[in-house]
Amino acid sequence: MTTVLDSIIEGVREDLEARARQTPLSEMQALAASADSALDAHTALEAGRDDPSGVRIIAEVKRSSPSKGALAEIPDPAALAAAYQSGGASVISVLTESRRFGGSLSDLAAVRAGVDIPVLRKDFMVDEYQFHEARAYGADLVLLIVAALDDRQLRDFLSLTHELGMNALVEAHTEEEIERAVTVGSRIVGVNVRNLKTLDVDLNHYSAMARHLPHDVVRVAESGVSGPDGVLDYARQGADAVLVGEALVKHGDPTAAVKSFRSASLSKEAQ
């Protein structure tokens, strides 16, 4: 049975083949090698652990999604990213998948030029080419989705990410996927409460999976945030960072929204 994730990856591969014909791997590797050094996203996110200023926010530039359709036009992704940074975001996530999310590598380059904090290329990484491409366009962090990769790919892609000077947010949804992520040496592990195979969301899922996350990894909660209370819930469940997309792009005042999310997490010790 073909899942939503399978369908997305099929389109990603088709679009990737077209880009690789236009810019061969050797040329993309040279562009990646000439790019400025990547910023340290691991340190930026690890700082959210036991920090009195609250959990770290990964704020997302996201025009649409397979589950919700169009979310926001975002005519100036760099300006949106700068507003996120002004609000206290630690990392900016940029969707670069075009068919389902309306993103592009141009968005990534624009955001990289518009902020001085780490930038995540959020896409479905299934080929070596994409990692050199991510670095060439200024990414400091890439997304590795455990459900989309076998163990060899996961290990090799994580190694390549580090060789290129970047960090990886390794995304899991199940206990078995968390174990696979940890086994290959992932340092930043996210739990997505959205099942990418069905697009179903379970807001209690992070709580169920959090106990399987080792204390020595940066723990990231992904999806399901509709407001400050959602960030607070994840903070209370031990998240070091929270990735937020829809709630930010639809808010109207992204700087104030990020500030409110950071502020909410300060009360995580309150009962």
Side-chain angles (χ1 to χ4, degrees), residues 122-196:
K122 196 177 183 200
D123 208 321
F124 299 79
M125 309 293 282
V126 293
D127 188 276
E128 174 189 353
Y129 185 94
Q130 293 169 290
F131 294 82
H132 297 284
E133 191 177 51
R135 189 78 281 278
Y137 279 84
D140 309 290
L141 184 67
V142 295
L143 180 71
L144 298 181
I145 301 173
V146 177
L149 306 169
D150 61 32
D151 287 341
R152 179 189 60 79
Q153 290 173 317
L154 187 58
R155 181 186 64 250
D156 291 351
F157 287 164
L158 183 62
S159 178
L160 176 58
T161 299
H162 293 159
E163 288 173 13
L164 291 170
M166 299 183 291
N167 288 121
L169 167 56
V170 182
E171 177 180 301
H173 182 71
T174 66
E175 179 181 351
E176 185 266 341
E177 289 175 5
I178 291 173
E179 182 177 352
R180 289 178 59 205
V182 173
T183 297
V184 298
S186 304
R187 302 173 66 206
I188 308 170
V189 180
V191 171
N192 195 341
V193 303
R194 184 185 303 280
N195 184 335
L196 292 179

Side-chain angles (χ1 to χ4, degrees), residues 19-253:
R19 295 197 305 275
R21 285 194 297 270
Q22 184 175 4
T23 306
L25 175 60
S26 59
E27 185 176 337
M28 191 59 70
Q29 288 173 322
L31 291 170
S34 66
D36 292 340
S37 298
L39 301 179
D40 186 354
H42 180 269
T43 296
L45 295 175
E46 187 179 41
R49 178 168 299 173
D50 302 322
D51 189 322
S53 67
V55 300
R56 278 7 188 193
I57 300 297
I58 303 174
E60 196 152 80
V61 176
K62 180 178 185 179
R63 291 190 174 88
S64 62
S65 75
S67 60
K68 297 292 184 67
L71 300 174
E73 291 186 5
I74 313 182
D76 189 342
L80 177 60
Y84 287 157
Q85 181 175 351
S86 294
S90 295
V91 170
I92 306 299
S93 170
V94 183
L95 267 300
T96 59
E97 196 279 338
S98 61
R99 299 191 184 198
R100 303 292 189 97
F101 295 90
S104 69
L105 288 162
S106 296
D107 287 347
L108 178 63
V111 169
R112 171 67 287 157
V115 299
D116 56 13
I117 57 177
V119 175
L120 162 68
R121 178 188 184 180
K122 196 177 183 200
D123 208 321
F124 299 79
M125 309 293 282
V126 293
D127 188 276
E128 174 189 353
Y129 185 94
Q130 293 169 290
F131 294 82
H132 297 284
E133 191 177 51
R135 189 78 281 278
Y137 279 84
D140 309 290
L141 184 67
V142 295
L143 180 71
L144 298 181
I145 301 173
V146 177
L149 306 169
D150 61 32
D151 287 341
R152 179 189 60 79
Q153 290 173 317
L154 187 58
R155 181 186 64 250
D156 291 351
F157 287 164
L158 183 62
S159 178
L160 176 58
T161 299
H162 293 159
E163 288 173 13
L164 291 170
M166 299 183 291
N167 288 121
L169 167 56
V170 182
E171 177 180 301
H173 182 71
T174 66
E175 179 181 351
E176 185 266 341
E177 289 175 5
I178 291 173
E179 182 177 352
R180 289 178 59 205
V182 173
T183 297
V184 298
S186 304
R187 302 173 66 206
I188 308 170
V189 180
V191 171
N192 195 341
V193 303
R194 184 185 303 280
N195 184 335
L196 292 179
K197 296 180 180 181
T198 64
L199 300 184
D200 293 334
V201 174
D202 178 358
L203 296 179
N204 297 314
H205 192 67
Y206 186 83
S207 178
M209 292 296 105
R211 62 189 178 90
H212 301 294
L213 293 171
H215 188 70
D216 61 352
V217 304
V218 175
R219 298 159 294 186
V220 182
E222 303 177 49
S223 301
V225 172
S226 59
D229 287 346
V231 175
L232 174 58
D233 286 343
Y234 283 144
R236 285 177 171 169
Q237 293 162 25
D240 302 309
V242 179
L243 189 151
V244 188
E246 178 182 352
L248 289 177
V249 298
K250 295 175 69 174
H251 187 276
D253 188 339

